[in-house]
Amino acid sequence: MYTIIDTLIDGFELHPYFLKIRDKQILKRLKIDFLRKGEVLATESYDNITIKELERLQKQLLDSIIMNLNIEDSWTKAKQMSVTTRTLGVVNMYKIELLGENEDKTRNIKICFIKSGYRTAESVFHGVSKEKYESIISILSNNSAFNLTCTKQCNAVHYLDLLAIM
């Protein structure tokens, strides 16, 4: 279904566009941002996609990410984990958007927390140095891999906890 099959991808964000027809929401279009360390590597769009195809695509992408991160070496275990990850509802990916640079070479960034492809929360940080930026990416990358392996919600690290340590 998707043409971007790359071992660099460690996250994705789904952007579904619904059309309202007679009080029913119909999925008309889907845009997917493929991520690597929070940055967009590529974007693909699909027209006239069904909800069932969207769910299958989400599961395939989760499978790929689990394998790309070398979290689990067994493909069947990865498939079981991707189903759990999709239904568990924990933040397991992130996207970083650069909002601009300051005169002192620090950055203003927006971190978008993603739960199995869907954005759940975002937070803006001002005056982030290059070293702090790399530290944030390291923390978020480690958390993403950890939360992808969680089988219980109580074991996952919540994004509010991540914000506290950043």
Side-chain angles (χ1 to χ4, degrees), residues 4 32 95-96:
I4 303 291
I32 303 173
K95 179 179 179 181
I96 297 180

Short mmCIF file of all heavy atoms in Angstrom, two decimals, residues 4 32 95-96:
data_model
loop_
_atom_site.label_atom_id
_atom_site.label_comp_id
_atom_site.label_asym_id
_atom_site.label_seq_id
_atom_site.Cartn_x
_atom_site.Cartn_y
_atom_site.Cartn_z
N ILE A 4 7.00 3.85 0.57
CA ILE A 4 8.18 4.15 1.38
C ILE A 4 8.40 2.98 2.34
O ILE A 4 7.74 2.87 3.35
CB ILE A 4 7.99 5.45 2.19
CG1 ILE A 4 7.68 6.64 1.30
CG2 ILE A 4 9.20 5.73 3.06
CD1 ILE A 4 8.83 7.10 0.44
N ILE A 32 0.26 10.64 5.07
CA ILE A 32 1.14 10.04 6.07
C ILE A 32 2.50 10.73 6.02
O ILE A 32 3.11 10.82 4.96
CB ILE A 32 1.34 8.53 5.83
CG1 ILE A 32 0.01 7.80 5.80
CG2 ILE A 32 2.25 7.94 6.90
CD1 ILE A 32 0.12 6.34 5.40
N LYS A 95 7.18 13.87 16.79
CA LYS A 95 7.56 14.67 15.62
C LYS A 95 8.05 16.01 16.15
O LYS A 95 7.43 16.59 17.05
CB LYS A 95 6.35 14.86 14.72
CG LYS A 95 6.58 15.70 13.49
CD LYS A 95 5.27 15.75 12.68
CE LYS A 95 5.38 16.59 11.45
NZ LYS A 95 4.10 16.62 10.73
N ILE A 96 9.17 16.49 15.63
CA ILE A 96 9.71 17.79 16.05
C ILE A 96 9.61 18.75 14.88
O ILE A 96 10.07 18.45 13.78
CB ILE A 96 11.17 17.67 16.53
CG1 ILE A 96 11.24 16.77 17.75
CG2 ILE A 96 11.75 19.04 16.81
CD1 ILE A 96 12.64 16.57 18.31
#
